[in-house]
Amino acid sequence: MKRPQRILIILCASSSLAVALSGCSTLAPSYTRPDAPVPASWQQDAAPQVVAADSEQRSVAERVWQDFYLDPRLQKVIALGLTHNRDLRVAALNVERTQAQYQIQRAALIPGVDASGAAGFQRVPADFSSTGEAQKIHQYTVGLGLTSYELDLFGRLRSLRDQALEQYLATEQAQQSARISLVAQIATGYLTLAADRELLHLAEETLKTQQESYQLIQRRFEVGASSELDLRQAQTQVESARVDLVRFTTQVAQDEDNLNLLVGAQVPADLLPSALTDQVAELEGVTPGLSSEVLLTRPDILQAENLLKGYNANIGAARAAYFPRITLVGDLGSGSNELSGLFSSGSGSWSFMPRIDLPIFDAGVRAAQLQVAEIDRDIAIAQYEKTIQTAFREVADTLAQRDNVERQLAAQLALRDATERQYVLARERYFKGVDSHLDVLDAQRSLYSAQQGVVDVRLVRLTNLVSLYKALGGGVKAGS
């Protein structure tokens, strides 16, 4: 067998061996998911409640946002945000970037083969020529070569590939987490705008009522039936209502600007809410006794676990650095001083340069690198556990608020009804001359405050639903 044929066989065998070794194990420690440092379920001091089945609990997290948010206009606003929001666009580009980095790292496991061709032209002066005469030298070469390739005998490259893969998966989870957060932010902004528009409408109606009351007292003052003090007190109420009107007008404008920023585009006017509606969202089957295992589907927790797996894989690369590294370089080609003779008999050329690097002494660099890799893994474990604890607290807080907000709303509605009746009675008694106008003013202020309180509590109730859906990882499987 001719030598060029043998070197070609060696290069091919090296490539086959490298591919075969890519399926071997690495020196990374076996990965075990850390136990969740939280209770098995959310428990409260309230009366016992029926705990949903595990399949029902998980369906809460996997329920797409289109099924959770019931308002058609809100659905359209969210869809606009998912299309135009710039932060979400950056998150998607980060996924593409880490995917490309993973492909680069994965390609290191496969030998790279390059084809090359070159031509050189040179004039050698007579003083430098072996013949004593000036010479013109033409050189033509073509070749097929195996670039510098490391045989991954101890899994160093495979560990780095695994780390890159986990980084890519973590970025995907970060994108999903950003998506869920954006949907919740848009919904909260939409509800806040609806509440402020309702408060603005309430301020307008209050101003109208206060102006009518002022005009009535002014007529009574002109005929001597009311004092100037009553007149000025009524005027004070009118000006106070005007202040609230300006304040809520400004707040509504700011809410619209905030919603436009979240969406990433101008929201059409016909999609903006005019007032709060209780039929915005619906979330059933969630009780304080549900299993905390539902948190394991949250993208931020999955992201923390992917990062942990990546650091675990990096330990394998640090351990492999203690072992020899074998690198292969070779090429097979042809050369001639005439282009026509480039592929003629006797023009063949080849080279094969295997290299081995054996670590002997590095002043503790490899040991320090391994220690750093292990500490990074331990930090990632702590961060993973902290992420779970944070998620558990978010759900616990929203459940605690949900348990009380219904009672708070019922109490606030009762307060509004009572103050409304008080205001009616105070007006009747004032015009009959039984009570002073100060009693009417107190009743008006109490009624206005109670009406505002109803709007505020209804907003809290709806945003609590949004927060709970987000805290449970709602929308994990949302498609678009």
Side-chain angles (χ1 to χ4, degrees), residues 7 215 270:
I7 191 62
Q215 292 169 359
D270 60 335

Side-chain angles (χ1 to χ4, degrees), residues 71 73 190-191 193-195 197-198 272-277 280 458:
D71 187 339
R73 289 186 298 180
Y190 182 90
L191 293 171
L193 173 60
R197 280 194 164 185
E198 188 167 336
L272 296 177
S274 57
L276 278 178
T277 171
V280 172
R458 288 175 60 214

